[in-house]
Amino acid sequence: METILKTENLCKYYGKGENEVRAVRSADIAIKQGEFTAIVGKSGSGKSTLLHLLGGLDYPTSGKVWVKDKDIFSMKEEELAVFRRRNIGFVFQAFNLVSSVNVWENIVLPIGLDGREADVGFAEDIIKTLGMEHKIHNLPNTLSGGQQQRVAIARALASRPAIILADEPTGNLDSKTSDEVVTLLKASSQKYGQTVVMITHDEDIAQIADRILSIEDGRVVEQG
Ligand SMILES: Nc1ncnc2c1ncn2[C@@H]1O[C@H](COP(=O)(O)OP(=O)(O)O)[C@@H](O)[C@H]1O
Ligand SMILES: [Mg+2]
């Protein structure tokens, strides 16, 4: 399979002198198309910083990130914003749904905002795969946390991004719901051949991945 995401000597340092924090140090990562990768590490190990760099939400101190052979930090800011919208789907711990519109609109809205037409059949299929077909007319505040996160996952999948980046997607959920949500994320990514990088502090949750990387004090290594 083709490499879809790659980093080279990627570093992110915060602060200066004795206050310097080396949040990500010399990360060399290659992720293949369709792979479900977990990056596991303790709180403060650099997980969110790394994910933000992979998604072009933050600039590195040095090093490079390629998404689909595109050196993302060589782009101008606006070009990067468009590239990100089209190619990267995010799922965060806080579900970040739009509270004033229903589930269906939450899922197709970003595609419309990007000036594209939603593939209605595909969106409906995703919603079924995630078991949310009975809730499409609901407002987010009438859903449980697990249901809200399933909507956020559907929204990310619906625009067919090159890669989905998930930062502690089960961080606000109890352990039973976490298992359900991550199982659905895995099942849907498999069904659609979707590349996923999921960050978690939870070793058990990470076990569902095809591949596990670990991060400790900003250093990323292959696990087992
Ligand atoms: N904007 C920032 N300014 C300064 N230090 C930061 C900033 N963001 C993160 N850090 C530091 O970088 C390290 C890694 O943070 P983070 O990537 O959020 O870790 P994780 O997501 O694994 O908990 C921590 O020591 C954190 O305090
Ligand atoms: Mg974090």
Side-chain angles (χ1 to χ4, degrees), residues 44 47-49 167-168 199:
K47 301 185 298 297
S48 294
T49 303
D167 190 353
E168 302 270 8
I199 265 172

Side-chain angles (χ1 to χ4, degrees), residues 206-217:
Q207 297 310 314
I208 201 154
D210 300 323
R211 179 183 173 203
I212 304 176
L213 305 177
S214 67
I215 180 166
E216 204 179 325
D217 292 331

Side-chain angles (χ1 to χ4, degrees), residues 9-10 28 41 82 89 113 127 139 150 197 216:
N9 204 6
L10 189 66
D28 291 301
V82 174
L113 290 175
I127 290 164
L139 289 174
R150 283 192 264 161
V197 177
E216 204 179 325

Side-chain angles (χ1 to χ4, degrees), residues 14-15 21-24 41-50 58 167-168 199 215:
Y14 295 110
V21 176
R22 299 187 167 194
V24 173
K42 294 192 186 112
S43 175
S45 58
K47 301 185 298 297
S48 294
T49 303
L50 175 62
D58 198 5
D167 190 353
E168 302 270 8
I199 265 172
I215 180 166

Side-chain angles (χ1 to χ4, degrees), residues 3-222:
T3 296
I4 198 157
L5 173 69
K6 194 163 92 94
T7 73
E8 186 184 280
N9 204 6
L10 189 66
C11 299
K12 179 73 180 184
Y13 301 163
Y14 295 110
K16 288 231 151 62
E18 60 184 38
N19 293 321
E20 187 178 75
V21 176
R22 299 187 167 194
V24 173
R25 314 184 193 207
S26 304
D28 291 301
I29 300 171
I31 306 280
K32 290 194 176 74
Q33 162 106 53
E35 208 170 39
F36 190 119
T37 303
I39 303 179
V40 63
K42 294 192 186 112
S43 175
S45 58
K47 301 185 298 297
S48 294
T49 303
L50 175 62
L51 201 84
H52 291 164
L53 296 173
L54 297 181
L57 290 175
D58 198 5
Y59 285 85
T61 304
S62 61
K64 288 183 177 180
V65 174
W66 287 271
V67 176
K68 291 203 306 193
D69 293 327
K70 186 102 184 158
D71 175 356
I72 64 170
F73 296 115
S74 71
M75 286 184 255
K76 292 211 178 74
E77 210 172 310
E78 266 171 49
E79 193 190 349
L80 176 57
V82 174
F83 182 85
R84 197 167 52 217
R85 212 158 61 214
R86 303 234 161 120
N87 291 287
I88 299 170
F90 292 97
V91 178
F92 295 107
Q93 179 175 338
F95 320 117
N96 297 340
L97 301 178
V98 178
S99 60
S100 58
V101 302
N102 70 26
V103 163
W104 173 259
E105 286 162 333
N106 264 281
I107 291 167
V108 298
L109 205 68
I111 301 170
L113 290 175
D114 189 38
R116 291 181 290 161
E117 192 120 3
D119 180 340
V120 170
F122 183 58
E124 284 174 347
D125 194 70
I126 291 166
I127 290 164
K128 265 198 201 132
T129 303
L130 291 165
M132 291 299 291
E133 66 271 32
H134 307 302
K135 298 285 184 186
I136 55 169
H137 300 300
N138 281 56
L139 289 174
N141 69 4
T142 67
L143 303 177
S144 69
Q147 289 170 334
Q148 289 187 54
Q149 194 60 303
R150 283 192 264 161
V151 175
I153 290 167
R155 176 180 58 187
L157 287 164
S159 64
R160 302 179 191 268
I163 182 154
I164 287 182
L165 300 175
D167 190 353
E168 302 270 8
T170 63
N172 278 340
L173 305 174
D174 62 61
S175 64
K176 181 170 170 282
T177 310
S178 294
D179 284 343
E180 284 166 13
V181 165
V182 83
T183 300
L184 283 166
L185 174 59
K186 175 77 189 294
S188 51
S189 65
Q190 247 168 348
K191 180 170 182 186
Y192 303 115
Q194 176 65 58
T195 312
V196 177
V197 177
M198 175 183 74
I199 265 172
T200 179
H201 69 274
D202 187 329
E203 293 268 0
D204 292 336
I205 291 289
Q207 297 310 314
I208 201 154
D210 300 323
R211 179 183 173 203
I212 304 176
L213 305 177
S214 67
I215 180 166
E216 204 179 325
D217 292 331
R219 287 203 185 279
V220 182
V221 293
E222 197 88 32

